[in-house]
Amino acid sequence: GSRLLEATGHTREWHEPRLDYETLGFEVDGDVAQEEDGVYVHPDSGTRVYDDTGKTVFGNWVYVSPGEKVTVRYVYELPWRYVTSIDADGRFASHSILFQKQAGAQNVTLESDIIYDNGLVEVASVPYLSSQRGSGIAVDASSLITQDFSGDVYRGTVFRLE
């Protein structure tokens, strides 16, 4: 349900199959056919957008030469509001998110920023931000986290309602 707003840094290219699978008599896999039928091409970026087991996928090719660095950036809107749980007294709200690393991806950095209303004050988080300085996680007043994305990353935050 996420909506792609912008994608940059990738190579605008898609490869077509080199073989005519139908003529060669290959059997069609129903799951693959269903996924391929649901592909939407984002007109501004050329990004392929589709659903895979309930998750929105943004797909592009990226070519990186030895010794070169490439930054790929996706800006997207989630299909829900950030604060998803408020306690019974109405004093605290919380939210969590799991960032899942793509298998095989290496040397990737994750940047996550929480933008929230003035009526919320961040009181606790996982990872615990104040103890993370100097350990590869950088944090500023806007709740921005930049860290190595070598595996799945869980982020949870509790807010006090002002």
Side-chain angles (χ1 to χ4, degrees):
S2 296
R3 186 171 66 94
L4 182 64
L5 303 175
E6 176 186 342
T8 59
H10 59 278
T11 305
R12 261 188 108 124
E13 175 178 332
W14 283 99
H15 299 281
E16 296 302 323
R18 294 183 179 174
L19 302 173
D20 183 345
Y21 296 114
E22 187 175 330
T23 302
L24 293 171
F26 281 76
E27 184 178 329
V28 175
D29 180 280
D31 293 332
V32 172
Q34 181 180 4
E35 188 172 286
E36 289 177 347
D37 288 344
V39 172
Y40 159 77
V41 178
H42 184 257
D44 295 336
S45 67
T47 301
R48 291 191 179 198
V49 181
Y50 59 95
D51 180 76
D52 184 7
T53 61
K55 297 178 183 180
T56 304
V57 177
F58 305 132
N60 290 305
W61 286 95
V62 179
Y63 293 103
V64 184
S65 298
E68 182 183 33
K69 289 184 178 186
V70 174
T71 298
V72 177
R73 183 171 184 250
Y74 292 99
V75 178
Y76 58 95
E77 182 178 81
L78 297 171
W80 37 262
R81 298 298 253 167
Y82 191 80
V83 176
T84 58
S85 175
I86 297 178
D87 73 333
D89 297 332
R91 294 179 42 219
F92 293 94
S94 65
H95 177 74
S96 63
I97 189 167
L98 175 64
F99 297 96
Q100 293 180 298
K101 181 186 132 334
Q102 179 177 341
Q106 298 177 0
N107 302 319
V108 178
T109 301
L110 171 68
E111 184 175 285
S112 170
D113 193 7
I114 300 174
I115 301 170
Y116 47 88
D117 295 334
N118 291 335
L120 300 174
V121 176
E122 191 171 337
V123 294
S125 63
V126 174
Y128 181 65
L129 303 181
S130 63
S131 68
Q132 299 297 331
R133 295 186 188 279
S135 65
I137 299 176
V139 181
D140 66 17
S142 73
S143 194
L144 174 68
I145 293 178
T146 302
Q147 70 184 89
D148 177 52
F149 196 19
S150 57
D152 293 352
V153 174
Y154 173 83
R155 183 169 186 191
T157 307
V158 175
F159 300 98
R160 182 177 66 243
L161 303 173
E162 297 276 308

